[in-house]
Amino acid sequence: MKKRIILMTLLGLVSYKVGAQTKKSASLKQAYAKDFYIGTALNLQHIHDKDKKGINIIKKDFSSIVAENCMKSMFLQPVEGQFFFDDADKFVAFGQQNNMFTIGHTLVWHSQAPDWFFVDKDGKNVSADVLKQRMKNHIQTVVSRYKGKIKGWDVVNEAIMEDGSYRKSKFYEILGEEFIPLAFQWAHEADPDAELYYNDYNEWHSGKVQQITKMIKDFKSRGIRIDGIGMQAHVGLDYPSIEEYEKAIVAYANAGVKVSVTELEISALPSPHRISSNVADTQAYEKQLNPYNNGILPADVEAAWEKRYLDFFSLFLKHKDKVERVTLWGVTDGDSWKNDFPIVGRTDYPLLFDRKYKEKPIVKKLIHLAKEN
Ligand code: XIL
């Protein structure tokens, strides 16, 4: 009898431990596995395994990864014909080893492109033929290197403005709007199995929605592959409205593509006057725009911030048949580009883990939300 009691007590203890363990290990990626991928962006500290705490979070909570910077053209091909793949190779290997849905960001973008790309040796714009040849070479060298390993590419980033006009980038200036379908075709030739996305910010503005849906339909009528629209989602406490965002998701899905939320973070700071995520659109520092610089978010602001995350994730879950992936733009608040954008030197609180790598209470709430839906 005594033996029995001891055995029962031991069993009880073991099952209690297992229960606690299961509870402890509940992760975002597991909770959302039935719905969509949950992704994050890796910086060089992650890629080179210097940020161990960050890496542990990535492995536990995320099922998809994207490189925050190292696969942009200024880093991959700083000098014409001289490719630098060390960082990107490591990033892709990490994705493979950890069975992550690995995304390539980004092939054609006006920002973080090397200057040489658009000019000849006298600094004058190159001809359309030369630019096409440079684009094709860049796209095909990069995409074919990671054939079968990178599952989806942000082929073109940020080519359309809020009013629906084309951004007057060098690509557009020299090649006109045709640079977009050309890029998609070249990427497709290099890896016919890879998914191809058009990625942009503020994609809830009606002008942008109209122009992008028109472009998707045009691609489809011409037999040019496009699988998805990447909606960056560098959003704030008061912009955009959930309704605006929902309309855009539905419009893109109705045009026949999947939607991914590709660069999500919710800034807790006051919005500057112009809300753009173009990296060149910066503003001067003003003290009142950096109100929580002691590392603590006031409780009412934190509550509003949590509600925003829950509202957005409720929307994504409502449209899980259309949403392929939701990717956060970084792991901890300390990593976030928002501390320096659009104003340098602020203290922002936009991500799911704090500056000490501690999971914020919102994570459990998001896990709970997924279980309920
Ligand atoms: C940002 C990075 O987070 C920063 O580290 C870098 O200095 C600038 O670019 N849209 C995009 C991303 O598509 O690549 C940008 O990333 C943020 C806006």
Side-chain angles (χ1 to χ4, degrees), residues 164-228:
S165 62
Y166 286 91
R167 179 187 297 281
K168 306 293 175 285
S169 67
K170 287 279 181 191
F171 294 110
Y172 182 79
E173 208 183 298
I174 300 172
L175 293 174
E177 61 195 69
E178 228 9 55
F179 84 88
I180 306 176
L182 280 172
F184 276 75
Q185 252 172 320
W186 289 324
H188 181 58
E189 282 165 21
D191 186 353
D193 293 328
E195 293 197 333
L196 306 180
Y197 318 123
Y198 173 77
N199 194 56
D200 211 329
Y201 61 81
N202 284 359
E203 274 174 314
W204 49 84
H205 278 255
S206 59
K208 239 181 197 190
V209 175
Q210 267 175 30
Q211 186 57 42
I212 294 172
T213 47
K214 194 168 148 226
M215 181 182 78
I216 298 166
K217 287 177 190 157
D218 173 58
F219 275 31
K220 295 212 175 247
S221 72
R222 292 163 65 185
I224 296 165
R225 180 169 180 166
I226 178 164
D227 296 271

Side-chain angles (χ1 to χ4, degrees), residues 13-248:
L13 270 177
V14 168
S15 64
Y16 172 78
K17 271 236 133 178
V18 171
Q21 196 74 33
T22 318
K23 230 176 157 192
K24 203 175 150 207
S25 66
S27 78
L28 270 176
K29 77 170 168 197
Q30 284 161 358
Y32 283 88
K34 61 186 182 10
D35 307 313
F36 35 73
Y37 293 108
I38 295 281
T40 191
L42 271 61
N43 59 31
L44 286 182
Q45 299 296 107
H46 300 131
I47 291 168
H48 292 289
D49 205 21
K50 291 191 177 130
D51 181 358
K52 306 267 185 212
K53 288 183 183 169
I55 285 292
N56 286 340
I57 295 173
I58 292 164
K59 286 183 180 169
K60 174 172 177 264
D61 279 302
F62 297 100
S63 52
S64 174
I65 54 168
V66 62
E68 185 177 0
N69 282 302
C70 76
M71 295 185 78
K72 294 170 180 172
S73 59
M74 70 181 275
F75 299 115
L76 283 185
Q77 200 183 172
V79 177
E80 184 168 19
Q82 291 181 24
F83 285 85
F84 174 77
F85 284 120
D86 295 9
D87 299 336
D89 284 356
K90 283 219 159 89
F91 162 78
V92 173
F94 177 86
Q96 290 227 285
Q97 281 151 19
N98 294 285
N99 199 22
M100 304 274 194
F101 188 72
T102 305
I103 302 299
H105 174 80
T106 172
L107 297 167
V108 172
W109 187 27
H110 68 283
S111 283
Q112 291 179 284
D115 292 341
W116 66 262
F117 214 97
F118 309 101
V119 292
D120 62 18
K121 55 179 177 7
D122 302 320
K124 299 219 173 70
N125 276 0
V126 290
S127 67
D129 280 346
V130 170
L131 184 57
K132 279 191 208 169
Q133 177 269 319
R134 288 181 180 177
M135 277 175 65
K136 185 174 181 187
N137 184 48
H138 182 80
I139 292 171
Q140 299 207 324
T141 306
V142 175
V143 174
S144 61
R145 185 174 184 94
Y146 302 117
K147 191 169 184 280
K149 297 177 181 168
I150 294 265
K151 300 297 180 195
W153 282 98
D154 290 339
V155 180
V156 174
N157 199 23
E158 302 178 356
I160 293 165
M161 305 302 284
E162 283 78 355
D163 64 0
S165 62
Y166 286 91
R167 179 187 297 281
K168 306 293 175 285
S169 67
K170 287 279 181 191
F171 294 110
Y172 182 79
E173 208 183 298
I174 300 172
L175 293 174
E177 61 195 69
E178 228 9 55
F179 84 88
I180 306 176
L182 280 172
F184 276 75
Q185 252 172 320
W186 289 324
H188 181 58
E189 282 165 21
D191 186 353
D193 293 328
E195 293 197 333
L196 306 180
Y197 318 123
Y198 173 77
N199 194 56
D200 211 329
Y201 61 81
N202 284 359
E203 274 174 314
W204 49 84
H205 278 255
S206 59
K208 239 181 197 190
V209 175
Q210 267 175 30
Q211 186 57 42
I212 294 172
T213 47
K214 194 168 148 226
M215 181 182 78
I216 298 166
K217 287 177 190 157
D218 173 58
F219 275 31
K220 295 212 175 247
S221 72
R222 292 163 65 185
I224 296 165
R225 180 169 180 166
I226 178 164
D227 296 271
I229 294 300
M231 299 180 72
Q232 289 184 12
H234 299 291
V235 299
L237 291 178
D238 51 7
Y239 66 91
S241 72
I242 297 293
E243 292 72 29
E244 282 176 297
Y245 206 93
E246 176 167 33
K247 269 195 207 157

Side-chain angles (χ1 to χ4, degrees), residues 266-285:
I266 303 181
S267 173
L269 299 185
S271 320
H273 322 297
R274 268 189 69 207
I275 300 158
S276 156
S277 296
N278 179 24
V279 296
D281 293 341
T282 51
Q283 266 191 249
Y285 184 89

Side-chain angles (χ1 to χ4, degrees), residues 245-269:
Y245 206 93
E246 176 167 33
K247 269 195 207 157
I249 293 180
V250 171
Y252 297 134
N254 284 344
V257 291
K258 294 185 261 193
V259 172
S260 286
V261 179
T262 53
E263 302 179 18
L264 174 64
E265 88 262 304
I266 303 181
S267 173
L269 299 185

Side-chain angles (χ1 to χ4, degrees), residues 319-359:
H319 293 290
K320 61 186 171 194
D321 58 325
K322 308 171 184 68
V323 175
E324 179 179 39
R325 168 173 54 101
V326 174
T327 289
L328 279 293
W329 201 240
V331 179
T332 72
D333 286 343
D335 302 333
S336 176
W337 79 306
K338 292 299 288 181
N339 295 305
D340 287 313
F341 182 86
I343 295 166
V344 176
R346 296 199 296 174
T347 306
D348 205 345
Y349 304 81
L351 292 168
L352 303 182
F353 296 83
D354 73 14
R355 288 179 162 73
K356 295 187 171 134
Y357 297 85
K358 195 164 162 253
E359 183 183 287

